[in-house]
Amino acid sequence: MRFELGGGKAIELARGDITAESTDAIVNAANSSLMGGGGVDGAIHRAGGPAILDECKAIVAKQGYLEDGQVVATTGGRLKARYVLHTSGPVYEDGTFGEAETLASCYRESIRLADRMGLKTLAFPSISTGTYGYPVHLAAPVAVAALAEAMNGVENVTLARFILFDDLTFAAYRDAAKAFAEDSR
Ligand code: AR6
């Protein structure tokens, strides 16, 4: 499913496994330690191999833990994607702890970093809606709006894909993207 943003830019939604994506970079829903974990983080480290963790360790040694909503880049190791952008989403409490702002920052800062790196295509998982407990029907509209807004503000990134692991998550993002497209007409 594809949503045109104008200016030759688009957002696509697909069901699937993000480790198989051949976009220039994939985004990892990591945590601030950058030491790997379960969910999509575990899958990316398994598929990409140990080079990714080595690079994460070097980043933490140099600049300390990653703040929530911020992003750092490593190479993709054995992945098809050349780079992995690691971001730490918010742990969802009840929505009053700035969770939406932090979640939006993950998407916005990933797009901006990819753009500074000269990348054109990027794939995202549904950040924070697994282990971190963000209800997907609340996360999806935040994610779609933040991504569309950030893409409109950059030069190089022309395609962002949401790669969604299950039917419920896909449906939530499809509904959010349709509503966003209608609202922006
Ligand atoms: N491809 C695409 N999406 C996936 C994949 C995959 N291979 N595997 C899982 N998902 P989660 P979070 C979906 O828990 O909530 C980790 O331990 C999953 O179904 O991976 O941001 C980190 O180290 C869900 O829809 O990330 C952190 O400690 C979505 O990815 C913590 O979990 C996000 O689920 C981050 O939690």
PDB file of all heavy atoms in Angstrom, residues 16-20 28-33 35-44 46 87-90 124-134 136 163-166 169, ligand 1:
ATOM      1  N   GLY A  16       5.494  -7.851   6.946  1.00  0.00           N
ATOM      2  CA  GLY A  16       6.725  -8.577   6.688  1.00  0.00           C
ATOM      3  C   GLY A  16       7.733  -8.504   7.808  1.00  0.00           C
ATOM      4  O   GLY A  16       7.448  -8.040   8.906  1.00  0.00           O
ATOM      5  N   ASP A  17       8.931  -8.991   7.454  1.00  0.00           N
ATOM      6  CA  ASP A  17      10.069  -9.066   8.365  1.00  0.00           C
ATOM      7  C   ASP A  17      11.083  -8.021   7.901  1.00  0.00           C
ATOM      8  O   ASP A  17      11.592  -8.111   6.777  1.00  0.00           O
ATOM      9  CB  ASP A  17      10.656 -10.478   8.284  1.00  0.00           C
ATOM     10  CG  ASP A  17      11.912 -10.641   9.117  1.00  0.00           C
ATOM     11  OD1 ASP A  17      12.454  -9.636   9.628  1.00  0.00           O
ATOM     12  OD2 ASP A  17      12.362 -11.789   9.248  1.00  0.00           O
ATOM     13  N   ILE A  18      11.374  -7.067   8.738  1.00  0.00           N
ATOM     14  CA  ILE A  18      12.212  -5.940   8.318  1.00  0.00           C
ATOM     15  C   ILE A  18      13.647  -6.366   8.005  1.00  0.00           C
ATOM     16  O   ILE A  18      14.343  -5.686   7.248  1.00  0.00           O
ATOM     17  CB  ILE A  18      12.169  -4.814   9.387  1.00  0.00           C
ATOM     18  CG1 ILE A  18      12.593  -3.478   8.781  1.00  0.00           C
ATOM     19  CG2 ILE A  18      13.019  -5.163  10.599  1.00  0.00           C
ATOM     20  CD1 ILE A  18      12.261  -2.282   9.648  1.00  0.00           C
ATOM     21  N   THR A  19      14.074  -7.502   8.544  1.00  0.00           N
ATOM     22  CA  THR A  19      15.466  -7.929   8.286  1.00  0.00           C
ATOM     23  C   THR A  19      15.667  -8.318   6.821  1.00  0.00           C
ATOM     24  O   THR A  19      16.799  -8.423   6.369  1.00  0.00           O
ATOM     25  CB  THR A  19      15.887  -9.112   9.184  1.00  0.00           C
ATOM     26  OG1 THR A  19      15.075 -10.249   8.875  1.00  0.00           O
ATOM     27  CG2 THR A  19      15.764  -8.773  10.655  1.00  0.00           C
ATOM     28  N   ALA A  20      14.582  -8.536   6.083  1.00  0.00           N
ATOM     29  CA  ALA A  20      14.691  -8.903   4.667  1.00  0.00           C
ATOM     30  C   ALA A  20      14.651  -7.686   3.747  1.00  0.00           C
ATOM     31  O   ALA A  20      14.759  -7.832   2.525  1.00  0.00           O
ATOM     32  CB  ALA A  20      13.560  -9.869   4.297  1.00  0.00           C
ATOM     33  N   ASN A  28      15.996   0.213  13.728  1.00  0.00           N
ATOM     34  CA  ASN A  28      15.866  -0.773  14.794  1.00  0.00           C
ATOM     35  C   ASN A  28      15.186  -0.142  16.000  1.00  0.00           C
ATOM     36  O   ASN A  28      15.610   0.905  16.477  1.00  0.00           O
ATOM     37  CB  ASN A  28      17.277  -1.258  15.186  1.00  0.00           C
ATOM     38  CG  ASN A  28      17.235  -2.317  16.273  1.00  0.00           C
ATOM     39  OD1 ASN A  28      16.177  -2.891  16.545  1.00  0.00           O
ATOM     40  ND2 ASN A  28      18.371  -2.577  16.890  1.00  0.00           N
ATOM     41  N   ALA A  29      14.123  -0.810  16.494  1.00  0.00           N
ATOM     42  CA  ALA A  29      13.490  -0.405  17.756  1.00  0.00           C
ATOM     43  C   ALA A  29      14.330  -0.973  18.887  1.00  0.00           C
ATOM     44  O   ALA A  29      14.059  -2.052  19.411  1.00  0.00           O
ATOM     45  CB  ALA A  29      12.054  -0.926  17.821  1.00  0.00           C
ATOM     46  N   ALA A  30      15.401  -0.239  19.224  1.00  0.00           N
ATOM     47  CA  ALA A  30      16.390  -0.723  20.189  1.00  0.00           C
ATOM     48  C   ALA A  30      16.041  -0.225  21.586  1.00  0.00           C
ATOM     49  O   ALA A  30      14.887   0.139  21.865  1.00  0.00           O
ATOM     50  CB  ALA A  30      17.773  -0.224  19.752  1.00  0.00           C
ATOM     51  N   ASN A  31      17.026  -0.215  22.468  1.00  0.00           N
ATOM     52  CA  ASN A  31      16.869   0.420  23.779  1.00  0.00           C
ATOM     53  C   ASN A  31      18.122   1.245  24.030  1.00  0.00           C
ATOM     54  O   ASN A  31      19.086   1.154  23.271  1.00  0.00           O
ATOM     55  CB  ASN A  31      16.634  -0.620  24.879  1.00  0.00           C
ATOM     56  CG  ASN A  31      17.784  -1.601  24.954  1.00  0.00           C
ATOM     57  OD1 ASN A  31      18.911  -1.223  25.247  1.00  0.00           O
ATOM     58  ND2 ASN A  31      17.502  -2.858  24.649  1.00  0.00           N
ATOM     59  N   SER A  32      18.114   2.033  25.091  1.00  0.00           N
ATOM     60  CA  SER A  32      19.188   3.020  25.241  1.00  0.00           C
ATOM     61  C   SER A  32      20.552   2.386  25.485  1.00  0.00           C
ATOM     62  O   SER A  32      21.572   3.018  25.237  1.00  0.00           O
ATOM     63  CB  SER A  32      18.842   4.034  26.331  1.00  0.00           C
ATOM     64  OG  SER A  32      18.514   3.351  27.500  1.00  0.00           O
ATOM     65  N   SER A  33      20.591   1.133  25.912  1.00  0.00           N
ATOM     66  CA  SER A  33      21.900   0.486  26.126  1.00  0.00           C
ATOM     67  C   SER A  33      22.553   0.076  24.807  1.00  0.00           C
ATOM     68  O   SER A  33      23.755  -0.147  24.754  1.00  0.00           O
ATOM     69  CB  SER A  33      21.750  -0.757  27.011  1.00  0.00           C
ATOM     70  OG  SER A  33      21.304  -1.869  26.250  1.00  0.00           O
ATOM     71  N   MET A  35      22.557  -2.680  23.490  1.00  0.00           N
ATOM     72  CA  MET A  35      23.205  -3.988  23.627  1.00  0.00           C
ATOM     73  C   MET A  35      22.355  -5.134  23.091  1.00  0.00           C
ATOM     74  O   MET A  35      22.598  -6.295  23.374  1.00  0.00           O
ATOM     75  CB  MET A  35      23.588  -4.246  25.093  1.00  0.00           C
ATOM     76  CG  MET A  35      24.728  -3.382  25.588  1.00  0.00           C
ATOM     77  SD  MET A  35      26.253  -3.544  24.611  1.00  0.00           S
ATOM     78  CE  MET A  35      26.354  -1.963  23.806  1.00  0.00           C
ATOM     79  N   GLY A  36      21.340  -4.812  22.309  1.00  0.00           N
ATOM     80  CA  GLY A  36      20.488  -5.849  21.732  1.00  0.00           C
ATOM     81  C   GLY A  36      19.362  -6.194  22.682  1.00  0.00           C
ATOM     82  O   GLY A  36      19.261  -5.637  23.773  1.00  0.00           O
ATOM     83  N   GLY A  37      18.489  -7.092  22.261  1.00  0.00           N
ATOM     84  CA  GLY A  37      17.339  -7.452  23.089  1.00  0.00           C
ATOM     85  C   GLY A  37      16.476  -8.444  22.342  1.00  0.00           C
ATOM     86  O   GLY A  37      16.970  -9.190  21.500  1.00  0.00           O
ATOM     87  N   GLY A  38      15.174  -8.400  22.634  1.00  0.00           N
ATOM     88  CA  GLY A  38      14.248  -9.308  21.950  1.00  0.00           C
ATOM     89  C   GLY A  38      13.599  -8.618  20.772  1.00  0.00           C
ATOM     90  O   GLY A  38      14.123  -7.632  20.242  1.00  0.00           O
ATOM     91  N   GLY A  39      12.440  -9.123  20.352  1.00  0.00           N
ATOM     92  CA  GLY A  39      11.651  -8.496  19.302  1.00  0.00           C
ATOM     93  C   GLY A  39      12.448  -8.206  18.048  1.00  0.00           C
ATOM     94  O   GLY A  39      13.306  -8.996  17.625  1.00  0.00           O
ATOM     95  N   VAL A  40      12.169  -7.063  17.444  1.00  0.00           N
ATOM     96  CA  VAL A  40      12.808  -6.711  16.178  1.00  0.00           C
ATOM     97  C   VAL A  40      14.314  -6.467  16.390  1.00  0.00           C
ATOM     98  O   VAL A  40      15.129  -6.754  15.504  1.00  0.00           O
ATOM     99  CB  VAL A  40      12.077  -5.518  15.524  1.00  0.00           C
ATOM    100  CG1 VAL A  40      12.304  -4.219  16.248  1.00  0.00           C
ATOM    101  CG2 VAL A  40      12.469  -5.379  14.066  1.00  0.00           C
ATOM    102  N   ASP A  41      14.683  -5.976  17.551  1.00  0.00           N
ATOM    103  CA  ASP A  41      16.094  -5.737  17.892  1.00  0.00           C
ATOM    104  C   ASP A  41      16.877  -7.057  17.812  1.00  0.00           C
ATOM    105  O   ASP A  41      17.932  -7.145  17.151  1.00  0.00           O
ATOM    106  CB  ASP A  41      16.144  -5.148  19.316  1.00  0.00           C
ATOM    107  CG  ASP A  41      17.491  -4.549  19.693  1.00  0.00           C
ATOM    108  OD1 ASP A  41      18.383  -4.475  18.818  1.00  0.00           O
ATOM    109  OD2 ASP A  41      17.646  -4.143  20.868  1.00  0.00           O
ATOM    110  N   GLY A  42      16.352  -8.080  18.472  1.00  0.00           N
ATOM    111  CA  GLY A  42      17.010  -9.393  18.438  1.00  0.00           C
ATOM    112  C   GLY A  42      17.107  -9.928  17.022  1.00  0.00           C
ATOM    113  O   GLY A  42      18.150 -10.463  16.602  1.00  0.00           O
ATOM    114  N   ALA A  43      16.020  -9.754  16.271  1.00  0.00           N
ATOM    115  CA  ALA A  43      15.989 -10.280  14.891  1.00  0.00           C
ATOM    116  C   ALA A  43      17.040  -9.579  14.021  1.00  0.00           C
ATOM    117  O   ALA A  43      17.729 -10.221  13.216  1.00  0.00           O
ATOM    118  CB  ALA A  43      14.591 -10.091  14.294  1.00  0.00           C
ATOM    119  N   ILE A  44      17.199  -8.266  14.197  1.00  0.00           N
ATOM    120  CA  ILE A  44      18.169  -7.507  13.392  1.00  0.00           C
ATOM    121  C   ILE A  44      19.596  -7.928  13.760  1.00  0.00           C
ATOM    122  O   ILE A  44      20.430  -8.162  12.873  1.00  0.00           O
ATOM    123  CB  ILE A  44      17.947  -5.986  13.575  1.00  0.00           C
ATOM    124  CG1 ILE A  44      16.654  -5.574  12.854  1.00  0.00           C
ATOM    125  CG2 ILE A  44      19.149  -5.182  13.067  1.00  0.00           C
ATOM    126  CD1 ILE A  44      16.212  -4.135  13.107  1.00  0.00           C
ATOM    127  N   ARG A  46      20.560 -10.780  15.043  1.00  0.00           N
ATOM    128  CA  ARG A  46      20.783 -12.166  14.577  1.00  0.00           C
ATOM    129  C   ARG A  46      21.059 -12.194  13.088  1.00  0.00           C
ATOM    130  O   ARG A  46      21.990 -12.841  12.619  1.00  0.00           O
ATOM    131  CB  ARG A  46      19.559 -13.040  14.882  1.00  0.00           C
ATOM    132  CG  ARG A  46      19.570 -13.647  16.269  1.00  0.00           C
ATOM    133  CD  ARG A  46      18.537 -14.771  16.391  1.00  0.00           C
ATOM    134  NE  ARG A  46      17.173 -14.334  16.045  1.00  0.00           N
ATOM    135  CZ  ARG A  46      16.356 -13.677  16.872  1.00  0.00           C
ATOM    136  NH1 ARG A  46      16.752 -13.378  18.097  1.00  0.00           N
ATOM    137  NH2 ARG A  46      15.147 -13.337  16.491  1.00  0.00           N
ATOM    138  N   THR A  87      17.229   3.350  17.273  1.00  0.00           N
ATOM    139  CA  THR A  87      16.541   4.371  18.063  1.00  0.00           C
ATOM    140  C   THR A  87      15.884   3.708  19.260  1.00  0.00           C
ATOM    141  O   THR A  87      15.551   2.519  19.214  1.00  0.00           O
ATOM    142  CB  THR A  87      15.503   5.135  17.200  1.00  0.00           C
ATOM    143  OG1 THR A  87      14.989   6.239  17.938  1.00  0.00           O
ATOM    144  CG2 THR A  87      14.354   4.238  16.754  1.00  0.00           C
ATOM    145  N   SER A  88      15.740   4.463  20.333  1.00  0.00           N
ATOM    146  CA  SER A  88      15.074   3.934  21.518  1.00  0.00           C
ATOM    147  C   SER A  88      13.750   4.655  21.683  1.00  0.00           C
ATOM    148  O   SER A  88      13.712   5.863  21.921  1.00  0.00           O
ATOM    149  CB  SER A  88      15.962   4.150  22.752  1.00  0.00           C
ATOM    150  OG  SER A  88      15.287   3.678  23.890  1.00  0.00           O
ATOM    151  N   GLY A  89      12.666   3.912  21.510  1.00  0.00           N
ATOM    152  CA  GLY A  89      11.332   4.492  21.657  1.00  0.00           C
ATOM    153  C   GLY A  89      10.964   4.643  23.125  1.00  0.00           C
ATOM    154  O   GLY A  89      11.690   4.184  24.009  1.00  0.00           O
ATOM    155  N   PRO A  90       9.814   5.287  23.386  1.00  0.00           N
ATOM    156  CA  PRO A  90       9.360   5.425  24.771  1.00  0.00           C
ATOM    157  C   PRO A  90       8.730   4.135  25.291  1.00  0.00           C
ATOM    158  O   PRO A  90       8.080   3.414  24.545  1.00  0.00           O
ATOM    159  CB  PRO A  90       8.300   6.517  24.664  1.00  0.00           C
ATOM    160  CG  PRO A  90       7.729   6.339  23.290  1.00  0.00           C
ATOM    161  CD  PRO A  90       8.889   5.912  22.427  1.00  0.00           C
ATOM    162  N   PHE A 124      10.989   1.140   8.461  1.00  0.00           N
ATOM    163  CA  PHE A 124      10.729   1.266   9.900  1.00  0.00           C
ATOM    164  C   PHE A 124       9.882   0.101  10.397  1.00  0.00           C
ATOM    165  O   PHE A 124       8.905  -0.266   9.737  1.00  0.00           O
ATOM    166  CB  PHE A 124       9.906   2.525  10.186  1.00  0.00           C
ATOM    167  CG  PHE A 124      10.643   3.809  10.040  1.00  0.00           C
ATOM    168  CD1 PHE A 124      10.725   4.430   8.791  1.00  0.00           C
ATOM    169  CD2 PHE A 124      11.241   4.424  11.124  1.00  0.00           C
ATOM    170  CE1 PHE A 124      11.392   5.634   8.651  1.00  0.00           C
ATOM    171  CE2 PHE A 124      11.913   5.630  10.991  1.00  0.00           C
ATOM    172  CZ  PHE A 124      11.996   6.243   9.750  1.00  0.00           C
ATOM    173  N   PRO A 125      10.155  -0.376  11.605  1.00  0.00           N
ATOM    174  CA  PRO A 125       9.186  -1.250  12.277  1.00  0.00           C
ATOM    175  C   PRO A 125       8.198  -0.366  13.041  1.00  0.00           C
ATOM    176  O   PRO A 125       8.320   0.862  13.019  1.00  0.00           O
ATOM    177  CB  PRO A 125      10.076  -2.031  13.248  1.00  0.00           C
ATOM    178  CG  PRO A 125      11.103  -1.004  13.675  1.00  0.00           C
ATOM    179  CD  PRO A 125      11.340  -0.110  12.450  1.00  0.00           C
ATOM    180  N   SER A 126       7.276  -0.993  13.724  1.00  0.00           N
ATOM    181  CA  SER A 126       6.345  -0.249  14.575  1.00  0.00           C
ATOM    182  C   SER A 126       7.016  -0.058  15.937  1.00  0.00           C
ATOM    183  O   SER A 126       6.901  -0.892  16.840  1.00  0.00           O
ATOM    184  CB  SER A 126       5.042  -1.039  14.706  1.00  0.00           C
ATOM    185  OG  SER A 126       4.178  -0.389  15.611  1.00  0.00           O
ATOM    186  N   ILE A 127       7.710   1.076  16.069  1.00  0.00           N
ATOM    187  CA  ILE A 127       8.519   1.345  17.269  1.00  0.00           C
ATOM    188  C   ILE A 127       7.629   1.434  18.518  1.00  0.00           C
ATOM    189  O   ILE A 127       6.558   2.064  18.484  1.00  0.00           O
ATOM    190  CB  ILE A 127       9.311   2.659  17.075  1.00  0.00           C
ATOM    191  CG1 ILE A 127      10.273   2.537  15.892  1.00  0.00           C
ATOM    192  CG2 ILE A 127      10.062   3.046  18.354  1.00  0.00           C
ATOM    193  CD1 ILE A 127      10.846   3.879  15.415  1.00  0.00           C
ATOM    194  N   SER A 128       8.068   0.792  19.583  1.00  0.00           N
ATOM    195  CA  SER A 128       7.460   0.861  20.933  1.00  0.00           C
ATOM    196  C   SER A 128       6.175   0.061  21.123  1.00  0.00           C
ATOM    197  O   SER A 128       5.658   0.024  22.248  1.00  0.00           O
ATOM    198  CB  SER A 128       7.188   2.312  21.375  1.00  0.00           C
ATOM    199  OG  SER A 128       8.369   2.917  21.862  1.00  0.00           O
ATOM    200  N   THR A 129       5.631  -0.562  20.071  1.00  0.00           N
ATOM    201  CA  THR A 129       4.320  -1.218  20.256  1.00  0.00           C
ATOM    202  C   THR A 129       4.424  -2.704  20.622  1.00  0.00           C
ATOM    203  O   THR A 129       3.409  -3.387  20.691  1.00  0.00           O
ATOM    204  CB  THR A 129       3.431  -1.067  19.006  1.00  0.00           C
ATOM    205  OG1 THR A 129       4.002  -1.795  17.922  1.00  0.00           O
ATOM    206  CG2 THR A 129       3.270   0.388  18.614  1.00  0.00           C
ATOM    207  N   GLY A 130       5.649  -3.177  20.885  1.00  0.00           N
ATOM    208  CA  GLY A 130       5.817  -4.557  21.357  1.00  0.00           C
ATOM    209  C   GLY A 130       6.124  -4.531  22.841  1.00  0.00           C
ATOM    210  O   GLY A 130       5.267  -4.178  23.663  1.00  0.00           O
ATOM    211  N   THR A 131       7.348  -4.857  23.175  1.00  0.00           N
ATOM    212  CA  THR A 131       7.797  -4.894  24.574  1.00  0.00           C
ATOM    213  C   THR A 131       7.498  -3.589  25.302  1.00  0.00           C
ATOM    214  O   THR A 131       7.193  -3.603  26.504  1.00  0.00           O
ATOM    215  CB  THR A 131       9.321  -5.131  24.603  1.00  0.00           C
ATOM    216  OG1 THR A 131       9.609  -6.247  23.780  1.00  0.00           O
ATOM    217  CG2 THR A 131       9.827  -5.392  26.000  1.00  0.00           C
ATOM    218  N   TYR A 132       7.605  -2.462  24.625  1.00  0.00           N
ATOM    219  CA  TYR A 132       7.446  -1.166  25.284  1.00  0.00           C
ATOM    220  C   TYR A 132       5.991  -0.745  25.484  1.00  0.00           C
ATOM    221  O   TYR A 132       5.717   0.305  26.065  1.00  0.00           O
ATOM    222  CB  TYR A 132       8.238  -0.091  24.534  1.00  0.00           C
ATOM    223  CG  TYR A 132       9.720  -0.080  24.870  1.00  0.00           C
ATOM    224  CD1 TYR A 132      10.259  -0.985  25.789  1.00  0.00           C
ATOM    225  CD2 TYR A 132      10.593   0.828  24.279  1.00  0.00           C
ATOM    226  CE1 TYR A 132      11.606  -0.985  26.106  1.00  0.00           C
ATOM    227  CE2 TYR A 132      11.949   0.840  24.591  1.00  0.00           C
ATOM    228  CZ  TYR A 132      12.455  -0.067  25.512  1.00  0.00           C
ATOM    229  OH  TYR A 132      13.790  -0.047  25.821  1.00  0.00           O
ATOM    230  N   GLY A 133       5.050  -1.573  25.001  1.00  0.00           N
ATOM    231  CA  GLY A 133       3.660  -1.458  25.430  1.00  0.00           C
ATOM    232  C   GLY A 133       2.842  -0.291  24.903  1.00  0.00           C
ATOM    233  O   GLY A 133       1.766   0.001  25.431  1.00  0.00           O
ATOM    234  N   TYR A 134       3.322   0.382  23.862  1.00  0.00           N
ATOM    235  CA  TYR A 134       2.552   1.516  23.317  1.00  0.00           C
ATOM    236  C   TYR A 134       1.367   0.945  22.539  1.00  0.00           C
ATOM    237  O   TYR A 134       1.569   0.189  21.593  1.00  0.00           O
ATOM    238  CB  TYR A 134       3.449   2.335  22.384  1.00  0.00           C
ATOM    239  CG  TYR A 134       3.119   3.804  22.266  1.00  0.00           C
ATOM    240  CD1 TYR A 134       4.104   4.757  22.467  1.00  0.00           C
ATOM    241  CD2 TYR A 134       1.837   4.235  21.933  1.00  0.00           C
ATOM    242  CE1 TYR A 134       3.826   6.117  22.357  1.00  0.00           C
ATOM    243  CE2 TYR A 134       1.552   5.591  21.827  1.00  0.00           C
ATOM    244  CZ  TYR A 134       2.545   6.525  22.034  1.00  0.00           C
ATOM    245  OH  TYR A 134       2.256   7.855  21.921  1.00  0.00           O
ATOM    246  N   VAL A 136      -1.020   0.100  19.815  1.00  0.00           N
ATOM    247  CA  VAL A 136      -0.708   0.358  18.403  1.00  0.00           C
ATOM    248  C   VAL A 136      -1.689   1.334  17.765  1.00  0.00           C
ATOM    249  O   VAL A 136      -1.310   2.114  16.887  1.00  0.00           O
ATOM    250  CB  VAL A 136      -0.570  -0.975  17.621  1.00  0.00           C
ATOM    251  CG1 VAL A 136      -1.904  -1.687  17.474  1.00  0.00           C
ATOM    252  CG2 VAL A 136       0.095  -0.743  16.277  1.00  0.00           C
ATOM    253  N   ILE A 163       7.362  -1.639   7.811  1.00  0.00           N
ATOM    254  CA  ILE A 163       7.303  -3.100   7.657  1.00  0.00           C
ATOM    255  C   ILE A 163       6.706  -3.671   8.937  1.00  0.00           C
ATOM    256  O   ILE A 163       7.333  -3.636  10.005  1.00  0.00           O
ATOM    257  CB  ILE A 163       8.703  -3.690   7.382  1.00  0.00           C
ATOM    258  CG1 ILE A 163       9.332  -3.009   6.174  1.00  0.00           C
ATOM    259  CG2 ILE A 163       8.604  -5.202   7.166  1.00  0.00           C
ATOM    260  CD1 ILE A 163       8.538  -3.138   4.875  1.00  0.00           C
ATOM    261  N   LEU A 164       5.476  -4.173   8.812  1.00  0.00           N
ATOM    262  CA  LEU A 164       4.666  -4.486   9.984  1.00  0.00           C
ATOM    263  C   LEU A 164       4.507  -5.997  10.103  1.00  0.00           C
ATOM    264  O   LEU A 164       4.243  -6.688   9.119  1.00  0.00           O
ATOM    265  CB  LEU A 164       3.342  -3.737   9.866  1.00  0.00           C
ATOM    266  CG  LEU A 164       3.621  -2.224   9.636  1.00  0.00           C
ATOM    267  CD1 LEU A 164       2.431  -1.505   9.039  1.00  0.00           C
ATOM    268  CD2 LEU A 164       4.119  -1.573  10.910  1.00  0.00           C
ATOM    269  N   PHE A 165       4.705  -6.456  11.326  1.00  0.00           N
ATOM    270  CA  PHE A 165       4.940  -7.880  11.547  1.00  0.00           C
ATOM    271  C   PHE A 165       3.672  -8.713  11.630  1.00  0.00           C
ATOM    272  O   PHE A 165       3.711  -9.902  11.419  1.00  0.00           O
ATOM    273  CB  PHE A 165       5.733  -8.017  12.851  1.00  0.00           C
ATOM    274  CG  PHE A 165       6.645  -9.192  12.906  1.00  0.00           C
ATOM    275  CD1 PHE A 165       7.481  -9.495  11.858  1.00  0.00           C
ATOM    276  CD2 PHE A 165       6.695  -9.993  14.053  1.00  0.00           C
ATOM    277  CE1 PHE A 165       8.355 -10.576  11.909  1.00  0.00           C
ATOM    278  CE2 PHE A 165       7.568 -11.075  14.121  1.00  0.00           C
ATOM    279  CZ  PHE A 165       8.391 -11.359  13.054  1.00  0.00           C
ATOM    280  N   ASP A 166       2.550  -8.094  11.970  1.00  0.00           N
ATOM    281  CA  ASP A 166       1.322  -8.889  12.146  1.00  0.00           C
ATOM    282  C   ASP A 166       0.118  -8.108  11.615  1.00  0.00           C
ATOM    283  O   ASP A 166       0.200  -6.901  11.390  1.00  0.00           O
ATOM    284  CB  ASP A 166       1.120  -9.255  13.623  1.00  0.00           C
ATOM    285  CG  ASP A 166       1.033  -8.023  14.489  1.00  0.00           C
ATOM    286  OD1 ASP A 166      -0.058  -7.433  14.571  1.00  0.00           O
ATOM    287  OD2 ASP A 166       2.061  -7.621  15.070  1.00  0.00           O
ATOM    288  N   THR A 169      -1.237  -4.966  13.581  1.00  0.00           N
ATOM    289  CA  THR A 169      -0.347  -3.804  13.453  1.00  0.00           C
ATOM    290  C   THR A 169      -0.490  -3.201  12.064  1.00  0.00           C
ATOM    291  O   THR A 169      -0.601  -1.979  11.911  1.00  0.00           O
ATOM    292  CB  THR A 169       1.105  -4.228  13.742  1.00  0.00           C
ATOM    293  OG1 THR A 169       1.152  -4.839  15.031  1.00  0.00           O
ATOM    294  CG2 THR A 169       2.046  -3.037  13.724  1.00  0.00           C
TER     295      THR A 169
HETATM  296  N1  AR6 B   1      10.317  -7.260  11.487  1.00  0.00           N
HETATM  297  C1  AR6 B   1       9.400  -6.288  11.685  1.00  0.00           C
HETATM  298  N2  AR6 B   1       8.765  -6.098  12.852  1.00  0.00           N
HETATM  299  C2  AR6 B   1       9.060  -6.939  13.872  1.00  0.00           C
HETATM  300  C3  AR6 B   1       9.998  -7.979  13.768  1.00  0.00           C
HETATM  301  C4  AR6 B   1      10.645  -8.132  12.509  1.00  0.00           C
HETATM  302  N3  AR6 B   1      11.549  -9.078  12.299  1.00  0.00           N
HETATM  303  N4  AR6 B   1      10.061  -8.631  14.960  1.00  0.00           N
HETATM  304  C5  AR6 B   1       9.178  -8.029  15.788  1.00  0.00           C
HETATM  305  N5  AR6 B   1       8.572  -7.017  15.132  1.00  0.00           N
HETATM  306  P1  AR6 B   1       9.520  -4.728  19.854  1.00  0.00           P
HETATM  307  P2  AR6 B   1       9.590  -2.110  21.244  1.00  0.00           P
HETATM  308  C6  AR6 B   1       7.540  -6.076  15.601  1.00  0.00           C
HETATM  309  O1  AR6 B   1       9.172  -5.422  21.115  1.00  0.00           O
HETATM  310  O2  AR6 B   1       8.182  -2.242  21.666  1.00  0.00           O
HETATM  311  C7  AR6 B   1      13.601  -5.099  22.569  1.00  0.00           C
HETATM  312  O3  AR6 B   1      13.971  -6.097  23.472  1.00  0.00           O
HETATM  313  C8  AR6 B   1       6.741  -6.454  16.822  1.00  0.00           C
HETATM  314  O4  AR6 B   1       5.730  -7.402  16.472  1.00  0.00           O
HETATM  315  O5  AR6 B   1      10.545  -5.336  18.972  1.00  0.00           O
HETATM  316  O6  AR6 B   1      10.073  -0.803  20.691  1.00  0.00           O
HETATM  317  C9  AR6 B   1      14.567  -3.912  22.554  1.00  0.00           C
HETATM  318  O7  AR6 B   1      15.889  -4.296  22.883  1.00  0.00           O
HETATM  319  C10 AR6 B   1       6.147  -5.099  17.191  1.00  0.00           C
HETATM  320  O8  AR6 B   1       5.020  -4.812  16.334  1.00  0.00           O
HETATM  321  O9  AR6 B   1      10.050  -3.210  20.146  1.00  0.00           O
HETATM  322  C11 AR6 B   1      13.995  -3.002  23.595  1.00  0.00           C
HETATM  323  O10 AR6 B   1      14.444  -3.317  24.897  1.00  0.00           O
HETATM  324  C12 AR6 B   1       7.257  -4.122  16.832  1.00  0.00           C
HETATM  325  O11 AR6 B   1       8.169  -4.869  16.001  1.00  0.00           O
HETATM  326  C13 AR6 B   1      12.506  -3.232  23.492  1.00  0.00           C
HETATM  327  O12 AR6 B   1      12.361  -4.560  22.971  1.00  0.00           O
HETATM  328  C14 AR6 B   1       8.025  -3.551  18.008  1.00  0.00           C
HETATM  329  O13 AR6 B   1       8.172  -4.536  19.028  1.00  0.00           O
HETATM  330  C15 AR6 B   1      11.849  -2.278  22.517  1.00  0.00           C
HETATM  331  O14 AR6 B   1      10.466  -2.486  22.513  1.00  0.00           O
END
